Structure formats: C-alpha cells, structure tokens
Amino acid sequence: MPLLVNLLCFIALCYLLYRLRSRGWPLSRQILAGLVAGGLYGLALQFAWPGHTQLLTDTLQWTGIVASGYVSLLRMIIMPLVLVMMVAAVLKMRAVADLGKIGGAVVGLLIATTMIAAVVGILVTSAFGLSADSITQGAREFASAEALAQRYETVAGLGLPDMLVRFVPANVFYDLTEARPTSIIAVVIFGILFGIAALQVARTDPQRGAQIEGFVDTTRLIVMRLVHIVMALTPYGILALIGGVVARSDAADIVNLLAFIAASYLAIGIMFAIHALLLGVHGVGLRHYFRSVWPVLAFAFTSRSSAASIPLNVETQVEKLRVATPIANLSATLGATIGQNGCAGIYPAMLAVMIAPSMGIDPLAWDFMAGLVGVIAISSFGVAGVGGGATFAALIVLPAMGFPVTVAAVLISIEPLIDMARTALNVNGAMTAGVVTQRWLGASVARD
C-alpha cells in the first residue's frame, strides 16, 4: 500500500505537468515546474518514510523507468544527430578551411576556460582552507578508495598520444553504438570526412551533388523532428531524475562535507560569472542568453550527462542563440568530451590543493600553480579517452602531480550533489564557446 501511494503521487505530478503543457506553457516553464515538483517529491519520500530503505528503493525503481527511459531516448538520438548534423554542416561550409577555423576557435576557448576554471578552483579551495586531512574517512570511504585504486590501474599507462589515437574511428559502426568513451569525437571525425568526400563528389558531378545535399538536408529535418519529440518529454524526465537524486541524498554525508560542497558551488558560480563576462565582452545580451539556455542547464543539472545534453544544446544554440549549425555542432560535441570546465578544471584542481599541504607543498606557489594548470589543460583532452567524468580527471591529474588518488574516494558519497552543478557548468562552457566563436567568425560561416 505505501508503494502504491508513492507511485500514485508520482503519476499525479506527471498529470499536473501534462495539464500545464495543454494550457500552452512554454517548455522552459514546464521544465522549471518539473524541477520543483521533483525536488518536493524527493523530500516528501525522505520525510514520509524515514528508515524505510527498501520502500524507497522499490519506489525509485518504478519512477526510474521514466528517468532511465527518458535518458535512453536522448542517448538514442545523440549519434544520429551528431553524424547527420556534421555531414550537413560540412556541406554548407563549402570550404575545409572554415572547418579548421571553427574547430580551432572552439577547442581554444574550451581549453582556455578550463585553465581559468583550474585557477578558480585553486584560489577558492585555498580561501576555504580545505585540506585532505580535515575530511573524516570511515570504513565506507576506505572501501571506495580501494575500488578507486583498482580503476586507476586501468588508466595509469595512458599517455596523451594514446588518448588522442583513441579519437580516431577504426569502426564507425562500433562507435555509432557509443561503445567507447571517445565514440562521440570519433563520429564527429567520420562525419567531417564523409562531408568532405561528399563535397568532392559534388564538385566533379554537380547533379549528384545536388542529390546528396537534398538527401542530407531531408535526413537532418527528420532527425531534428525526432529531437523535438523527445524534448517534449523533458519535464517528466526531470521530475523523475531530480526526485531520485533528492530521495537518495544522505543528510549526514552532506553535513560532514558541507565546506567542500560550499567551496565547489562557489567556484562553479564564479565560473558562470566568467562565462557571462566573456559573453558580455562580445556583445551578447546576458538576459536573453540565460533565458534561452537555462532549460539546457536544468537538464544537464538533473541528468549529470554532458553527452545526453547534446541534442538540446545544439537545438538551443541554433534556434535561440542564432549560432551557425557547424559551430553549434562542434561546440556541443567537443564540449561534451574536451575542456570540461567543471569536471576537468575545477574538481581536480581542488583535490590537488587539498592534498598539497600534506605533501609539504605550498598550493599558492607560482610554480605549483603553473604546473597544475598545465597538467589540467593537457588532461582535459584525456578525460574523454578514459571514460569521462570528474573522478577520471582526478585519476589523471593527481598521479601526474605525484599525489595519491584516495582522497577522491572520500568524496564519492556526495559526488552526485556536486556533479549536477559541474555538468551544468560543462554544458554552459560548451554553449559559451559556440556563441563566442559565432561572434568571432560572424558572417564567414553559413548559419543553416
């Protein structure tokens, strides 16, 4: 009976969101309503059934059908979207040189903002006086540390050349299944090469070129319509996702590591402000920008997946921010795997600064800061090569600095709470790179 009550409440909230949609609410407001409703639902589960772990587990298994199903639908359209949009983008550019300009600008912005994020993480952690010794380590954390050490062994032997080689597709059909951590970049590379080959065919045979362009454009329209269908389910997916996160949160873990959580969110907030400053300097209206992108950020926050955010990211850049399709595709896809400001920038920098005093190192020494920022810039390419995520970024950066990786295990209990904001920052960094690149290149790149 309690399980039935919980599920009926969830169904009632879904119906409420449906009614809001039928009344003509825009998607952004529907997403906000889903976010608030999910948070309240998760809190209600915690307070209504304290100590009933099995009941909460059973409830979240059923609501997880909506959450997991929605994320799976998004992941379903990622690879077709990336492939078709990249081929279409190359056909529209007409010149490979334009592709080089766009890629260079986007990657440069992603790496530069990641380096800035690392500096912000260093300064905020030092200001809070956080150290690895101040974190209580219990049996659960030590067990996590052992598991983390085993995961580290799988990435310890990878150098930057090895990681870059993994970007190259050996079997594009294998990568279209998203079987590798670098599958997205591999599909991007294949799409670019396929588009270049199509351009060459069009130059030698204009009639076939017109047929190719018509086919690709029709396929692009179908894929974008599929994106719109899946996006309509976003409020329900967010309701289930955020409800599960809140219901599973452990108040004791949050209180125990409250200082680290506060420092993390402050650093993330500062980076959002730096993104806003970068946009403002380039003449972007901040009110319009954040009103346009916040549904994307809300989804990234709840799903904790930069890759799953790609369809909504591309659609928002193209339709609301007036970014050219080639730029939007490159910034969204590369930003999901390279130069992640939150996961590859702030997080490993914070951990390194927390460990440094115990190693007899001044974390504010210029040589240490310069070395750490340089390692983070390089490793931000490698995060995608070893599976992605802040934990893997730490597994690359900390050993490179000669530091132990066990401190990352201590923070695993609160990882979801911080990772939500980090993912939103990653996605915002990708969109910022796209908008700024559009301002740099302007009319030299066709919008459609």
Side-chain angles (χ1 to χ4, degrees):
M1 183 60 68
L3 176 61
L4 182 61
V5 170
N6 293 343
L7 295 180
L8 287 175
C9 291
F10 180 79
I11 293 171
L13 290 173
C14 289
Y15 178 74
L16 176 62
L17 292 177
Y18 171 76
R19 293 292 298 170
L20 294 178
R21 178 187 176 188
S22 64
R23 291 182 179 180
W25 277 39
L27 182 61
S28 59
R29 289 188 180 181
Q30 295 176 49
I31 290 174
L32 177 59
L35 189 64
V36 173
L40 294 175
Y41 182 70
L43 287 173
L45 289 178
Q46 283 219 16
F47 285 106
W49 311 108
H52 293 73
T53 305
Q54 187 58 47
L55 176 59
L56 287 177
T57 300
D58 293 341
T59 301
L60 295 179
Q61 281 182 342
W62 283 101
T63 61
I65 295 174
V66 177
S68 301
Y70 173 66
V71 173
S72 295
L73 285 174
L74 278 171
R75 299 188 74 87
M76 173 192 73
I77 62 177
I78 288 173
M79 289 307 185
L81 177 69
V82 170
L83 178 60
V84 172
M85 295 297 277
M86 286 312 308
V87 174
V90 174
L91 287 175
K92 294 293 183 183
M93 277 189 288
R94 303 293 183 185
V96 178
D98 289 339
L99 184 62
K101 292 178 184 178
I102 295 172
V106 168
V107 172
L109 282 166
L110 290 172
I111 299 304
T113 52
T114 299
M115 295 173 71
I116 295 172
V119 174
V120 169
I122 293 171
L123 297 179
V124 170
T125 306
S126 298
F128 272 72
L130 298 177
S131 67
D133 296 334
S134 65
I135 299 178
T136 302
Q137 298 187 25
R140 179 178 58 180
E141 285 74 20
F142 281 123
S144 299
E146 294 177 2
L148 197 64
Q150 294 176 358
R151 292 169 69 185
Y152 165 66
E153 293 177 359
T154 64
V155 302
L158 291 178
L160 181 60
D162 299 315
M163 296 171 184
L164 294 178
V165 167
R166 294 186 175 206
F167 293 161
V168 181
N171 184 339
V172 70
F173 299 102
Y174 182 70
D175 284 315
L176 283 170
T177 65
E178 206 175 349
R180 299 189 301 150
T182 53
S183 287
I184 291 177
I185 294 182
V187 172
V188 169
I189 292 174
F190 177 80
I192 291 172
L193 294 175
F194 192 93
I196 292 173
L199 278 178
Q200 293 178 350
V201 171
R203 289 195 185 102
T204 57
D205 190 338
Q207 184 177 357
R208 289 189 180 275
Q211 293 174 347
I212 292 172
E213 188 167 352
F215 171 77
V216 171
D217 193 52
T218 300
T219 306
R220 180 182 66 85
L221 291 174
I222 295 173
V223 171
M224 289 308 299
R225 179 57 60 183
L226 180 60
V227 169
H228 290 153
I229 293 172
V230 176
M231 287 301 105
L233 303 175
T234 300
Y236 312 101
I238 285 183
L239 166 65
L241 286 165
I242 197 66
V245 170
V246 174
R248 292 188 184 97
S249 298
D250 191 322
D253 286 337
I254 293 174
V255 171
N256 188 39
L257 299 170
L258 191 59
F260 182 80
I261 295 171
S264 298
Y265 270 82
L266 177 60
I268 291 168
I270 291 173
M271 275 309 300
F272 269 108
I274 291 174
H275 289 169
L277 178 62
L278 184 61
L279 292 166
V281 167
H282 288 85
V284 178
L286 297 183
R287 183 184 179 117
H288 170 70
Y289 173 82
F290 282 107
R291 286 184 64 181
S292 300
V293 306
W294 91 259
V296 191
L297 301 183
F299 171 73
F301 184 86
T302 52
S303 68
R304 296 171 54 200
S305 175
S306 298
S309 303
I310 288 177
L312 190 55
N313 186 335
V314 172
E315 182 186 41
T316 299
Q317 286 195 59
V318 172
E319 296 188 2
K320 295 185 178 180
L321 300 176
R322 309 298 294 173
V323 175
T325 300
I327 297 175
N329 275 279
L330 279 174
S331 63
T333 52
L334 294 180
T337 49
I338 292 176
Q340 297 183 345
N341 290 185
C343 292
I346 291 176
Y347 186 67
M350 293 183 70
L351 295 190
V353 171
M354 290 169 64
I355 298 171
S358 64
M359 306 289 289
I361 299 174
D362 178 8
L364 294 180
W366 285 107
D367 55 344
F368 172 80
M369 291 179 62
L372 178 58
V373 171
V375 169
I376 286 174
I378 295 173
S379 68
S380 64
F381 283 91
V383 171
V386 296
T391 301
F392 278 107
L395 290 179
I396 298 172
V397 172
L398 295 180
M401 300 298 295
F403 293 167
V405 300
T406 51
V407 68
V410 181
L411 302 170
I412 283 179
S413 59
I414 58 166
E415 182 71 9
L417 183 62
I418 304 175
D419 195 47
M420 293 188 296
R422 283 197 306 249
T423 305
L425 179 63
N426 296 340
V427 173
N428 193 65
M431 289 189 289
T432 298
V435 173
V436 173
T437 299
Q438 176 67 42
R439 294 296 173 121
W440 283 355
L441 301 181
S444 65
V445 180
R447 213 191 78 79
D448 297 320

